[in-house]
Amino acid sequence: MKSILKLIRRFAGILLVSFILIMILNIIAVVKIASDQATGRSPWTTAVETAENLQKTENGYTLSEDMALELRKEEIWAVYIDDDTHKVVWHTENLPDDIPLEYSISEIAFLTRGYVKDYPTFTGGAEDGLVVLGYPKDRYWKEMYPSWDYYFIKNLPRTIFIVLVCNIALIFFIYMVTNMGILKTVKPIAEGIQALPMGDRVHVKEKGLLSELASKINRTSEILQSQKHQLKKKDTARANWIAGVSHDIRTPLSMVMGYASQLEQNCRLTEGERNKVAVILKQSEKMKKLISDLNLASKLEYNMQPVKTSRENVVALVRQVVVDFINMDIENRYSIEWVTEDTVTGCIANVDRELLKRAVCNLIQNCMNHNKNGCTIYVTVKKEKGECAICVEDDGVGVSDEQIEQLNHTPHYMVCDENTTTQRHGLGLLIVRQIMDSHGGETVIGHSVHGGFCVEMLLPSETVSNDFC
């Protein structure tokens, strides 16, 4: 996009100018720091003090012990050159072998401002000669031919200060001038981008450097609003259709169930006919439950089902559902085992009591529906890591790994606009998942340790004592 390229070029130019100015400021700072650098005592001062502490005796020259100790500690060697002979008449014990012991006037002039055999040297005047100190080769770097204008040195602090202030002001001016326009253009763009995910209608003025980007944002907002309107119409139509069909089916279904119930009790019918009527009645009950599930799933999907939460003991609530199923199993084909540990007597969570009971009922009924020859159902409630875990599993036929993968990751045909011709599973598990989602929980489907099918519901719990009841 052209506007983006313009923006990149402008910021690149700002970066280049700022870099040059910062480099200039850094050079000035380095020069200033180098000129003020002073590590300990000046070597010139040390040379003068050495000359003052060098005393002439009957046996020659002697340096005071304190001064000699300081020189040794700093690894400094020293010589004393006689004024008349230009020869070294005294030196320290650590004098390097390559240091000459006699100097011409030109050599003395050279060592006074520079080096002897690459050793930086500093001099101090004595009464009858010159004291020369030689430092380690990597200790100092000496300018041999310094020459500075007097007024330049005199005005240097003020000059540096003025240049520094001017540079800062220049950088600030360049930054403000170049970026105020950009910021003024970017701000509505950023606000528009932030508003897009919220679903609000967005309109950004299409002018300035980013006018092309503003146009794209406005177009995107129009497309999103159109899609939102169409989706809302589609969802409303689907919900109304489900509610209407469910309502229209209830009346004839109630009549079918009423007449079938009367026929089942009619003594004039043969045993075979009464069995057929019983099948009609049983299938009608399934249809009635299916309609109820369809309505509930539709309401949960479109947030039409109110969720009235309260603090409930999940252990007691699930145990009540289990007891109700045990009492209804007249044929004893489906034994239900309560395998919750005795120490777990209370697990508190904010839940909708009826919806949670419906979820547990769906899971137990699901075990029965898929194991026609009977099975044992195991129900467990555990507290783990701040959650109430409700596990319903069986030792029945179970499912394959591929089916587990589909159940965990493939959306139900009712809430998926793609591949609607393939019915992946019934409404029971969908309702369980929807109920968990409405409570901020999670549904995990897998294999049971008993060889069958397992569904675990995880609910956020509150910390309470185990003796809650």
Side-chain angles (χ1 to χ4, degrees), residues 236-443:
T236 302
R238 180 189 295 178
N240 291 338
W241 181 83
I242 292 174
V245 171
S246 299
H247 180 269
D248 292 341
I249 291 177
R250 282 197 184 98
T251 300
L253 183 61
S254 298
M255 295 179 63
V256 170
M257 294 179 66
Y259 288 135
S261 179
Q262 293 177 12
L263 289 173
E264 186 181 25
Q265 299 174 6
N266 192 334
C267 298
R268 290 179 295 179
L269 295 179
T270 64
E271 184 69 23
E273 292 172 335
R274 280 199 295 271
N275 290 338
K276 293 178 181 178
V277 172
V279 171
I280 295 174
L281 190 60
K282 185 176 182 180
Q283 295 302 318
S284 298
E285 288 286 351
K286 287 185 177 181
M287 290 179 62
K288 183 179 180 180
K289 183 179 182 303
L290 177 61
I291 293 171
S292 176
D293 286 347
L294 188 62
N295 268 326
L296 179 58
S298 177
K299 290 179 180 179
L300 289 171
E301 178 65 25
Y302 302 116
N303 296 319
M304 299 170 61
Q305 172 67 33
V307 180
K308 302 177 182 179
T309 61
S310 59
R311 294 178 77 252
E312 298 286 345
N313 183 357
V314 176
V315 177
L317 191 149
V318 176
R319 184 168 51 214
Q320 179 183 344
V321 175
V322 171
V323 170
D324 292 341
F325 266 93
I326 292 175
N327 293 335
M328 289 188 300
D329 187 20
I330 301 175
E331 300 178 1
N332 293 322
R333 295 174 57 199
Y334 302 98
S335 61
I336 303 179
E337 293 191 11
W338 177 255
V339 291
T340 301
E341 296 180 1
D342 295 337
T343 55
V344 183
T345 58
C347 187
I348 308 305
N350 285 315
V351 297
D352 185 307
R353 181 182 181 88
E354 296 304 320
L355 285 179
L356 185 59
K357 289 174 65 176
R358 178 66 176 273
V360 178
C361 288
N362 279 8
L363 293 181
I364 296 177
Q365 189 64 52
N366 189 67
C367 294
M368 295 179 177
N369 293 341
H370 291 84
N371 294 281
K372 301 299 183 180
N373 297 325
C375 66
T376 301
I377 302 171
Y378 305 88
V379 181
T380 311
V381 180
K382 298 179 291 185
K383 291 195 301 183
E384 48 186 28
K385 298 180 181 180
E387 293 180 323
C388 284
I390 306 169
C391 182
V392 178
E393 52 188 332
D394 60 60
D395 59 358
V397 295
V399 291
S400 65
D401 292 336
E402 182 180 355
Q403 290 173 312
I404 292 293
E405 180 70 18
Q406 289 181 350
L407 290 172
N408 275 318
H409 300 101
T410 305
H412 193 274
Y413 67 91
M414 182 178 172
V415 295
C416 179
D417 292 332
E418 299 178 358
N419 197 18
T420 55
T421 58
T422 303
Q423 180 171 339
R424 301 179 181 95
H425 55 83
L427 291 173
L429 289 178
L430 172 63
I431 292 175
V432 171
R433 196 183 299 275
Q434 289 175 325
I435 292 174
M436 286 299 101
D437 290 342
S438 67
H439 286 80
E442 183 182 1
T443 306

Side-chain angles (χ1 to χ4, degrees), residues 1-4 206 208-217:
M1 298 174 62
K2 295 180 180 179
S3 58
I4 298 298
E206 300 177 11
L209 184 64
L210 301 177
S211 59
E212 186 178 352
L213 182 58
S215 175
K216 298 297 182 183
I217 291 176

Side-chain angles (χ1 to χ4, degrees), residues 19-309:
F19 177 78
I20 295 173
L21 293 176
I22 290 174
M23 286 299 297
I24 295 173
L25 289 176
N26 287 339
I27 292 172
I28 294 174
V30 169
V31 172
K32 182 66 171 65
I33 293 172
S35 63
D36 292 341
Q37 183 179 2
T39 56
R41 186 162 50 179
S42 168
W44 296 105
T45 303
T46 304
V48 172
E49 292 180 358
T50 303
E52 292 175 352
N53 284 273
L54 187 63
Q55 302 295 327
K56 186 175 183 179
T57 64
E58 295 178 357
N59 298 325
Y61 291 89
T62 303
L63 185 64
S64 67
E65 291 189 7
D66 291 341
M67 200 68 214
L69 179 62
E70 182 177 344
L71 295 181
R72 286 196 299 270
K73 184 167 56 176
E74 297 294 330
E75 298 181 357
I76 303 171
W77 55 264
V79 298
Y80 179 62
I81 303 174
D82 183 71
D83 281 342
D84 296 330
T85 63
H86 300 165
K87 293 182 179 181
V88 174
V89 296
W90 172 89
H91 63 78
T92 55
E93 295 178 355
N94 62 339
L95 182 69
D97 296 336
D98 56 346
I99 299 300
L101 300 179
E102 185 175 357
Y103 297 87
S104 65
I105 293 177
S106 62
E107 289 174 337
I108 292 175
F110 185 83
L111 68 83
T112 301
R113 67 171 183 248
Y115 299 82
V116 173
K117 301 296 183 180
D118 293 332
Y119 292 94
T121 55
F122 300 88
T123 58
E127 184 176 351
D128 299 321
L130 183 68
V131 173
V132 180
L133 298 187
Y135 281 76
K137 295 180 179 180
D138 57 354
R139 179 71 63 85
Y140 291 103
W141 176 76
K142 296 183 67 177
E143 296 182 34
M144 299 181 63
Y145 306 100
S147 177
W148 301 96
D149 182 87
Y150 173 78
Y151 291 100
F152 173 76
I153 299 298
K154 179 181 178 181
N155 298 322
L156 185 60
R158 187 179 65 178
T159 303
I160 292 176
F161 177 75
I162 293 174
V163 171
L164 181 63
V165 171
C166 291
N167 285 337
I168 293 175
L170 180 60
I171 292 176
F172 182 76
F173 176 75
I174 294 173
Y175 176 82
M176 292 301 297
V177 170
T178 55
N179 285 285
M180 284 301 295
I182 295 176
L183 293 176
K184 187 177 180 181
T185 305
V186 169
K187 184 177 180 180
I189 297 292
E191 291 176 349
I193 293 175
Q194 291 176 348
L196 284 177
M198 305 301 295
D200 300 330
R201 184 178 295 277
V202 176
H203 180 75
V204 182
K205 292 183 179 180
E206 300 177 11
K207 64 178 183 178
L209 184 64
L210 301 177
S211 59
E212 186 178 352
L213 182 58
S215 175
K216 298 297 182 183
I217 291 176
N218 293 336
R219 178 59 180 159
T220 302
S221 176
E222 293 174 3
I223 294 173
L224 291 176
Q225 289 298 317
S226 176
Q227 291 177 344
K228 179 181 178 182
H229 178 68
Q230 294 298 326
L231 185 62
K232 186 175 181 180
K233 285 178 59 178
K234 179 179 179 181
D235 290 343
T236 302
R238 180 189 295 178
N240 291 338
W241 181 83
I242 292 174
V245 171
S246 299
H247 180 269
D248 292 341
I249 291 177
R250 282 197 184 98
T251 300
L253 183 61
S254 298
M255 295 179 63
V256 170
M257 294 179 66
Y259 288 135
S261 179
Q262 293 177 12
L263 289 173
E264 186 181 25
Q265 299 174 6
N266 192 334
C267 298
R268 290 179 295 179
L269 295 179
T270 64
E271 184 69 23
E273 292 172 335
R274 280 199 295 271
N275 290 338
K276 293 178 181 178
V277 172
V279 171
I280 295 174
L281 190 60
K282 185 176 182 180
Q283 295 302 318
S284 298
E285 288 286 351
K286 287 185 177 181
M287 290 179 62
K288 183 179 180 180
K289 183 179 182 303
L290 177 61
I291 293 171
S292 176
D293 286 347
L294 188 62
N295 268 326
L296 179 58
S298 177
K299 290 179 180 179
L300 289 171
E301 178 65 25
Y302 302 116
N303 296 319
M304 299 170 61
Q305 172 67 33
V307 180
K308 302 177 182 179
T309 61

